[in-house]
Amino acid sequence: MQSFRSEIENPIVEKDIIDLEKKIQLFYKGEIDEERFRSLRLARGVYGQRQFGVQMIRIKLPYGKLTSEQLHRIANVSDEYSRGRLHITTRQDIQIHHVSLDRTPELWAELEKDDITLREACGNAVRNVTASETAGIDKDEPFDVSPYAHAVFEFFLRNPICQELGRKFKISFSGTDKDTALSFMHDLGFIAKIENGTIGFKVMIGGGLGSQARLADTLFEFIEADKIIPVTEAVLRVFDRYGERSKRAKARLKFLIKDIGFEAFVKLVEEEQKALSITTFPIDTTDFDSEINLDHIKEIPVVVIEDEAAFEAWKTANVIAQKQEGFSAIGIKVHLGDFYTDKARILADLVKNYAGNEIRLSLRQNILIRHVKNELLPFFYVELQKLGFVDVGYESTLDITSCPGTDTCNLGIASSTGVSAELERVLKVEFPQYANNKDITIKISGCMNSCGQHTMAHIGFQGMSIKSGNYVAPALQVLLGGSVLGNGEGRIADKVLKIPSKRGPQALRSILFDYQENVAVGESFINYYDRQGEKYFYDLLKSLSDTTNLEQSDFIDWGSEQAYEKAVGVGECAGVVIDLIATLLFESEEKLDNSAASLNLNQYSDSIYYAYSSIVNTAKALLISEGKKTNTHAGIIADFEAIFSDKIDLGVPFSEFIFQIKNNEPTQEFAQNYLIDAQLYYKKVDAYRAQVITDGK
């Protein structure tokens, strides 16, 4: 286990991986309780899966960018630590399943050799920053959003203000007003704009899917590019302080904005301006502005196209002309987002030797090869055909998005991958004309959390269960009418009705046949849906919802041979629960150490926030000892002041003491004084706690 340490060049990364290794051992010994350990490993991309004793590893790939070297590295890691399968997510990550917890530090160290991180790929932190996969090559884009997405990723990685949020926080960057990165469903969504020659963004805030979907509000119609990181920092500070922490289902930013109101939220953001680590942050785009250099390609390989019609159909459906003259991007439709390491390596060599050594993973779980010379398209077609990577329908109706569902996810209720495979088969055989249709999207999730984004689909399916007498069958909620409208606007799909899962294909047939028979010339699917109305589709599909005539096969889920049983998988070691209060106080000490370390590195804003986190954490520990709720930082601060003001003397009210953080600029002097205050506060609390324990004996 120790051998990887000497191979890590970045001391910060090395410390992170060693810390994970130590915490795993402490967890096995019962010295860290399960909840705290779960939080720690999730923040390092290690996620429990449905199967007992193994983990899912999520690899964080900002805006889905991968080089040949990185793809080779991921393939090698998957072969060594897993089963050779790579899964592309709807957030442009790659997941590897069935990994032993013991080996996760070693796996992470291997990935870091090619600058690939697991850090904050899961957990209550800033998740992978996504972006339009055509960023940098789109003919309609005002500028390339890639460097801005990269800057946000780097700035908030390991940033103390967003390490222990109440819930996850998602950020996206759309390259055009088409909003292909879906800003309306993100906590923060940025849409590229240029006003009066100035590069900037429209900013959307507070969107989200899940069981209670919410469309984002417009925070700014336009802000300059050098303001996006300060704005994001201010929003995260407010979310960290006021966001719900105890009720997981209510802990996303969208609920905070809904509860206190948009105007009140904006006011809180404005009040954070003095405390920000930076007021402007110019973003260097140099590395992204260079010309495409393909000098390594000395000659164009000669190939024979055996089926010209198939080749032309592939070019029409899967090839995108770049804004760079003479170049195209090639879309690879990846069924269910799953591909294997043998093909990944061949693909990696192709893009290195014959293209720009870069692919992007799409939000619809596909692969986009960039910077291919047009004269090389026949060669790529032949080579990709050998890999089975030329199925037409890239990002079309035939290209169904699906989460893993009950295959591996703890929360899956019904199979999403199994029904997705069958629906794709139906489309390919019975509706091949939809291979070039970009107007209708189909998305499937295995539960209400909408990881497959079914709530924003034109046609969506959500895994559920349904009763028939004393038996339970797998089911699908049919949703219709969701859409991306563009420029930050979207629609949430209507829940039409629930049907047994095995009737999903027939539901899709009914919808598409009706559409083909009744759509007006030039009418979009959304306009057709609105014209007919939700009740019309309920009546159209109602016969499929009847559960009095189910057959034996209806009680067996897609892709399974066993009778269906509704179960939420645990898939995680139970561990040994110890004194949570002691754990919290131990963490407070760690945060004080981090504050001191940051101060020594002249990272004053980081030092201040670590000290603040220590103060809040310590207050939380005492409130828990009194049986009080600790839902939000703001609530903790108010309750601590009310309960302990006469027991722990700070010279000033506790709120005034801790809120120095937002009333002072992050100078060296304030950072030093705030750390001293936090250390003295901790000593007083520790002494109080020791006395309480002594008196109670």
Side-chain angles (χ1 to χ4, degrees):
M1 187 74 75
Q2 311 300 320
S3 61
F4 66 79
R5 298 187 180 186
S6 60
E7 299 175 4
I8 304 172
E9 296 181 2
N10 187 326
I12 297 174
V13 173
E14 180 182 21
K15 180 180 181 298
D16 226 358
I17 296 174
I18 291 172
D19 185 50
L20 174 60
E21 180 191 1
K22 289 179 178 178
K23 293 295 171 63
I24 289 172
Q25 298 309 314
L26 290 173
F27 171 66
Y28 282 150
K29 294 175 183 177
E31 295 179 21
I32 298 179
D33 72 86
E34 182 183 4
E35 289 300 315
R36 301 306 298 176
F37 179 67
R38 180 184 292 116
S39 176
L40 180 137
R41 67 169 163 74
L42 285 172
R44 286 147 182 84
V46 182
Y47 194 100
Q49 65 181 65
R50 197 177 189 91
Q51 294 76 14
F52 179 78
V54 290
Q55 314 293 317
M56 178 271 284
I57 303 301
R58 184 175 294 150
I59 300 169
K60 195 172 189 178
L61 301 170
Y63 48 99
K65 181 180 178 181
L66 270 174
T67 64
S68 169
E69 293 79 9
Q70 289 175 322
L71 186 53
H72 267 292
R73 177 68 62 184
I74 292 171
N76 291 343
V77 160
S78 182
D79 282 347
E80 172 66 24
Y81 300 93
S82 182
R83 301 179 178 181
R85 188 190 72 156
L86 308 176
H87 176 72
I88 304 169
T89 76
T90 55
R91 294 208 59 76
Q92 300 175 301
D93 297 305
I94 283 180
Q95 291 178 174
I96 298 173
H97 294 84
H98 304 285
V99 177
S100 168
L101 179 61
D102 293 338
R103 303 193 72 190
T104 53
E106 183 183 346
L107 178 153
W108 186 1
E110 284 296 313
L111 289 173
E112 286 287 354
K113 292 176 182 177
D114 276 300
D115 197 26
I116 305 168
T117 191
L118 306 182
R119 180 75 195 215
E120 294 147 54
C122 308
N124 299 330
V126 174
R127 296 288 186 87
N128 197 31
V129 178
T130 59
S132 304
E133 68 271 12
T134 55
I137 63 172
D138 194 323
K139 290 183 176 182
D140 296 326
E141 68 183 11
F143 57 90
D144 182 4
V145 299
S146 304
Y148 303 93
H150 192 82
V152 169
F153 153 72
E154 284 192 325
F155 189 88
F156 293 103
L157 187 70
R158 298 185 177 85
N159 193 310
I161 70 168
C162 51
Q163 294 307 295
E164 295 178 322
L165 300 172
R167 276 291 264 127
K168 57 191 174 185
F169 194 94
K170 297 181 177 180
I171 301 173
S172 75
F173 283 81
S174 286
T176 71
D177 284 357
K178 291 180 181 177
D179 199 12
T180 53
L182 315 176
S183 68
F184 66 91
M185 52 155 275
H186 279 77
D187 296 291
L188 272 178
F190 297 92
I191 305 172
K193 301 282 185 181
I194 293 181
E195 286 196 3
N196 300 320
T198 300
I199 286 177
F201 295 88
K202 181 176 182 176
V203 185
M204 308 302 297
I205 190 168
L209 297 181
S211 60
Q212 300 182 57
R214 182 183 190 273
L215 299 173
D217 296 303
T218 301
L219 183 60
F220 297 103
E221 284 291 343
F222 180 84
I223 60 167
E224 296 86 351
D226 63 359
K227 296 289 178 35
I228 63 172
I229 284 180
V231 163
T232 303
E233 181 181 339
V235 169
L236 283 167
R237 283 171 174 263
V238 171
F239 180 46
D240 190 37
R241 188 169 303 142
Y242 295 96
E244 172 67 40
R245 291 174 181 273
S246 296
K247 300 174 184 176
R248 180 180 174 83
K250 296 286 187 181
R252 292 294 298 274
L253 179 66
K254 62 184 178 181
F255 295 112
L256 173 60
I257 294 175
K258 180 181 178 181
D259 289 345
I260 69 174
F262 180 70
E263 296 302 324
F265 180 84
V266 171
K267 187 174 186 298
L268 290 173
V269 171
E270 291 171 349
E271 290 174 356
E272 291 297 317
Q273 299 307 304
K274 195 171 186 179
L276 296 181
S277 60
I278 34 84
T279 54
T280 62
F281 192 95
I283 293 170
D284 184 7
T285 63
T286 305
D287 291 341
F288 295 83
D289 292 336
S290 57
E291 294 291 326
I292 303 170
N293 185 350
L294 300 183
D295 291 343
H296 60 283
I297 303 175
K298 302 303 180 185
E299 59 181 43
I300 306 299
V302 178
V303 296
V304 176
I305 302 294
E306 296 180 354
D307 188 338
E308 284 289 344
F311 173 58
E312 292 300 323
W314 172 78
K315 282 201 299 183
T316 300
N318 291 28
V319 176
I320 302 167
Q322 295 189 184
K323 69 180 183 182
Q324 295 86 359
E325 189 174 350
F327 290 90
S328 291
I330 298 173
I332 297 174
K333 180 173 170 286
V334 183
H335 178 60
L336 301 177
D338 292 336
F339 68 118
Y340 291 83
T341 54
D342 55 346
K343 295 181 179 182
R345 291 189 181 88
I346 297 172
L347 179 65
D349 290 339
L350 275 174
V351 301
K352 181 174 183 178
N353 296 329
Y354 294 99
N357 196 30
E358 180 188 336
I359 65 171
R360 299 275 176 107
L361 308 179
S362 85
L363 295 163
R364 288 176 68 173
Q365 301 173 289
N366 292 317
I367 295 171
L368 188 68
I369 304 172
R370 297 152 61 94
H371 310 322
V372 177
K373 287 184 176 180
N374 289 339
E375 53 266 39
L376 276 167
L377 288 174
F379 168 74
F380 266 90
Y381 176 76
V382 170
E383 294 302 310
L384 292 174
Q385 190 176 41
K386 296 175 185 175
L387 300 176
F389 283 168
V390 292
D391 284 354
V392 296
Y394 174 80
E395 308 274 301
S396 74
T397 305
L398 269 62
D399 192 1
I400 296 176
T401 302
S402 173
C403 72
T406 51
D407 288 2
T408 55
C409 180
N410 285 329
L411 301 176
I413 296 173
S415 173
S416 49
T417 58
V419 70
S420 176
E422 179 61 18
L423 294 185
E424 283 202 2
R425 189 197 65 78
V426 168
L427 289 168
K428 190 173 183 178
V429 174
E430 302 176 29
F431 301 92
Q433 67 270 31
Y434 286 90
N436 294 320
N437 187 306
K438 310 289 185 182
D439 181 48
I440 302 174
T441 58
I442 303 173
K443 298 175 182 285
I444 305 173
S445 300
C447 75
M448 63 184 178
N449 286 315
S450 199
C451 294
Q453 301 173 347
H454 66 276
T455 19
M456 52 155 284
H458 296 93
I459 303 173
F461 297 94
Q462 175 194 326
M464 305 185 81
S465 62
I466 196 167
K467 291 202 72 174
S468 177
N470 294 325
Y471 298 97
V472 179
L476 295 170
Q477 175 85 56
V478 181
L479 300 95
L480 295 170
S483 182
V484 182
L485 301 178
N487 198 28
E489 296 185 17
R491 289 173 45 138
I492 302 303
D494 296 323
K495 297 176 181 177
V496 179
L497 85 172
K498 184 164 65 170
I499 62 174
S501 188
K502 286 296 179 69
R503 296 176 184 173
Q506 186 54 45
L508 180 62
R509 290 186 183 99
S510 298
I511 294 165
L512 292 181
F513 279 137
D514 189 85
Y515 171 65
Q516 290 174 172
E517 290 175 4
N518 297 306
V519 67
V521 176
E523 186 178 35
S524 69
F525 182 87
I526 287 301
N527 290 338
Y528 152 77
Y529 173 75
D530 287 343
R531 176 166 59 84
Q532 302 286 39
E534 181 182 345
K535 179 64 166 54
Y536 174 87
F537 289 96
Y538 174 83
D539 292 338
L540 177 70
L541 301 174
K542 185 177 179 181
S543 63
L544 298 178
S545 67
D546 184 5
T547 60
T548 63
N549 57 356
L550 296 187
E551 299 177 358
Q552 184 176 355
S553 61
D554 290 314
F555 294 95
I556 300 174
D557 208 352
W558 292 101
S560 176
E561 298 178 355
Q562 306 298 320
Y564 173 76
E565 180 181 354
K566 181 181 177 182
V568 177
V570 178
E572 300 198 3
C573 176
V576 179
V577 178
I578 62 171
D579 183 4
L580 177 58
I581 299 166
T583 301
L584 288 170
L585 292 174
F586 172 71
E587 288 180 349
S588 292
E589 290 187 87
E590 285 189 329
K591 294 176 192 300
L592 290 174
D593 291 341
N594 290 336
S595 177
S598 296
L599 185 61
N600 290 335
L601 293 172
N602 298 325
Q603 297 169 347
Y604 305 132
S605 180
D606 287 1
S607 174
I608 292 165
Y609 214 87
Y610 278 126
Y612 162 81
S613 299
S614 174
I615 297 170
V616 172
N617 214 58
T618 304
K620 178 180 179 179
L622 283 199
L623 288 172
I624 288 175
S625 72
E626 296 287 326
K628 301 298 181 181
K629 293 182 178 180
T630 55
N631 294 42
T632 67
H633 278 190
I636 290 169
I637 292 165
D639 288 347
F640 187 90
E641 183 169 300
I643 297 171
F644 293 101
S645 60
D646 60 340
K647 300 172 183 176
I648 299 174
D649 182 18
L650 298 172
V652 295
F654 181 65
S655 57
E656 183 179 335
F657 170 77
I658 193 171
F659 281 145
Q660 294 177 80
I661 188 176
K662 68 176 185 177
N663 297 323
N664 289 271
E665 295 179 2
T667 63
Q668 180 181 13
E669 181 182 6
F670 175 62
Q672 289 172 334
N673 292 336
Y674 199 55
L675 174 57
I676 291 170
D677 286 348
Q679 290 168 333
L680 290 173
Y681 164 76
Y682 180 82
K683 288 180 180 178
K684 289 186 176 184
V685 170
D686 193 40
Y688 171 82
R689 172 77 177 153
Q691 188 61 50
V692 169
I693 293 172
T694 300
D695 293 344
K697 289 182 179 179

